[in-house]
Amino acid sequence: MVKTPVELREIGFEEYVEESLLKSGYIKGNPDDYNKEFALDIKLLFEFLEDTQPKKMEKLREIYKDQYQFKVLSRLNRELNNRGMIDVLRHGIKDYGVYLDLAYFKPASKLNTEMLELYEKNRISVTRQVHYSTKNENSIDMLICVNGLPVVVLELKNPFTGQTYEDAIMQYKKDRSPNELLFQFKKRAIVFFAVDT
């Protein structure tokens, strides 16, 4: 099959990877929903929380009134900064006496239908061209989130443009500040991939 010039550029590779992930069950994220201050996909996070734990969210809404989203985000941010992404995903957070799960793991058997239903409500998203910085307009090629929490960053390179995964590694080393929240060790993204064809 003959490739068009667009398909041979990096954007064509991005589209191909995104399409493959969407066909595998990922949902398409919107880069506008990414909050740079908290380094989270706010829309997906609250969709997940409201869908899976409506009574708990209602209780927090009653406590915090019109500031409830900001208060939940602030608490989550503190827990991520103190405990790290993996621990928060595994064990959730507690806010004002309300325990919130941030992900559900696949149960060992299909006997517990309630846990299986909750597991199936996880939102695994792929978002392209995420502007992550509060200081500039730098963007990453792809971000994979679990219920709005960033876990994987991908920098893609297409050899047809003269770049390989080695260029992506150099991009992480030279163009990505470890001071940016998304890149801070343990606090947000868990793994960083340099990818070419």
Side-chain angles (χ1 to χ4, degrees), residues 30-49:
N30 183 339
D32 294 335
D33 297 332
Y34 180 81
N35 181 293
K36 297 175 186 180
E37 182 184 345
F38 291 107
L40 301 166
D41 184 321
I42 304 298
K43 182 176 182 241
L44 281 174
L45 172 66
F46 281 95
E47 280 179 4
F48 168 77
L49 292 172

Side-chain angles (χ1 to χ4, degrees), residues 10-62:
E10 188 174 298
I11 192 169
F13 186 38
E14 269 183 44
E15 289 169 354
Y16 175 78
V17 172
E18 179 190 51
E19 183 182 318
S20 296
L21 293 173
L22 293 175
K23 285 180 181 175
S24 299
Y26 287 62
I27 59 173
K28 185 174 180 141
N30 183 339
D32 294 335
D33 297 332
Y34 180 81
N35 181 293
K36 297 175 186 180
E37 182 184 345
F38 291 107
L40 301 166
D41 184 321
I42 304 298
K43 182 176 182 241
L44 281 174
L45 172 66
F46 281 95
E47 280 179 4
F48 168 77
L49 292 172
E50 297 286 352
D51 186 30
T52 59
Q53 301 155 87
K55 290 179 183 174
K56 293 176 180 180
M57 294 305 287
E58 183 57 38
K59 185 173 182 180
L60 289 172
R61 198 176 289 111
E62 288 171 12

Side-chain angles (χ1 to χ4, degrees), residues 48-85:
F48 168 77
L49 292 172
E50 297 286 352
D51 186 30
T52 59
Q53 301 155 87
K55 290 179 183 174
K56 293 176 180 180
M57 294 305 287
E58 183 57 38
K59 185 173 182 180
L60 289 172
R61 198 176 289 111
E62 288 171 12
I63 293 167
Y64 293 132
K65 310 291 186 227
D66 58 341
Q67 286 201 330
Y68 105 98
Q69 277 198 353
F70 176 76
K71 293 286 191 177
V72 170
L73 286 171
S74 296
R75 179 61 176 188
L76 175 57
N77 187 54
R78 278 193 309 276
E79 293 297 315
L80 287 166
N81 290 339
N82 292 333
R83 295 171 31 217
M85 178 63 76

